[in-house]
Amino acid sequence: MDELERHIRDHREEMDIHEPDPALWDRIEQRLPGRERHLRGLIWRAAVAVIIAGTAMTAVVSVIRLQERINDPQVAAVRETYYYYDSQIKMLYEEAEPLLTANPDIDTELRLGMDELDSLSAGIIRDLNDNIASSEVLEALVRNYRLRIELLEEMLQLMKENEEGSEKTGEHEL
């Protein structure tokens, strides 16, 4: 050990009489490179926490609103209307299926008409989601379903008449 180290060790108490200014340590701490990264990490963590909390709040509010809509009597009426008319349309399709396979032109025309009514129905349902209490929108949905049923019934009637006519002409041929 050299003389300087021995002198410091021997006279340490005499040298520790002066305290540094508290602001000095704050200035030193701000200049430290790890401190800046630590603050950025905290800021990022806080931002992520805020985003997660906002997303969770949005999800909770959405679930609550969905529950309110499900329990709404108007929504129940729309659901019942959909199930009723959908079952009617499926029954008519099942009845028309053998005739449609025999008449591909009519099948194509029917699908085009139904696709057009489907796109109208999708627009009505969007309107219904915007304003569920609107009776006009509900009436428009019912009219759309009735148009589908009428279209299917008319096509079915035409195919049946066409089939009966071809059977009668087939009986009189030689």
Side-chain angles (χ1 to χ4, degrees):
M1 190 181 321
D2 69 348
E3 284 188 42
L4 178 63
E5 286 181 28
R6 192 173 325 126
H7 178 74
I8 291 175
R9 196 175 302 138
D10 292 343
H11 301 289
R12 182 173 190 105
E13 288 85 29
E14 296 169 14
M15 293 182 201
D16 283 344
I17 60 170
H18 300 287
E19 287 290 321
D21 183 24
L24 175 66
W25 179 250
D26 291 338
R27 287 192 307 261
I28 293 172
E29 192 175 45
Q30 287 176 356
R31 292 181 187 163
L32 292 175
R35 174 77 173 165
E36 198 171 284
R37 276 186 249 136
H38 182 67
L39 282 176
R40 278 192 218 139
L42 281 175
I43 290 171
W44 276 107
R45 287 182 192 145
V48 168
V50 167
I51 290 170
I52 290 172
T55 303
M57 291 288 287
T58 302
V60 168
V61 168
S62 296
V63 167
I64 290 171
R65 285 186 180 162
L66 181 63
Q67 285 290 65
E68 289 172 354
R69 275 192 171 174
I70 288 173
N71 296 332
D72 189 350
Q74 287 249 279
V75 172
V78 170
R79 195 177 310 117
E80 287 176 26
T81 302
Y82 168 78
Y83 289 135
Y84 171 76
Y85 283 109
D86 193 50
S87 68
Q88 295 293 316
I89 291 170
K90 283 181 182 176
M91 285 185 345
L92 287 170
Y93 256 121
E94 288 172 7
E95 186 179 342
E97 189 69 36
L99 298 170
L100 289 171
T101 54
N103 299 299
D105 294 337
I106 294 175
D107 184 34
T108 304
E109 189 177 331
L110 178 65
R111 288 190 190 281
L112 287 173
M114 293 302 273
D115 287 346
E116 188 176 324
L117 288 172
D118 282 342
S119 66
L120 289 172
S121 179
I124 292 170
I125 290 173
R126 277 193 303 274
D127 291 344
L128 206 57
N129 286 335
D130 292 342
N131 187 7
I132 195 67
S134 175
S135 61
E136 293 105 15
V137 175
L138 186 56
E139 289 171 13
L141 186 63
V142 169
R143 278 194 307 272
N144 184 282
Y145 282 124
R146 286 183 181 159
L147 281 172
R148 289 177 190 209
I149 290 173
E150 286 177 25
L151 179 64
L152 276 167
E153 287 174 340
E154 287 176 13
M155 289 290 194
L156 189 58
Q157 185 65 32
L158 286 171
M159 288 187 293
K160 284 181 179 178
E161 288 173 3
N162 190 18
E163 189 177 84
E164 288 173 6
S166 65
E167 287 176 4
K168 287 182 181 178
T169 59
E171 292 175 3
H172 299 295
E173 290 184 12
L174 293 173

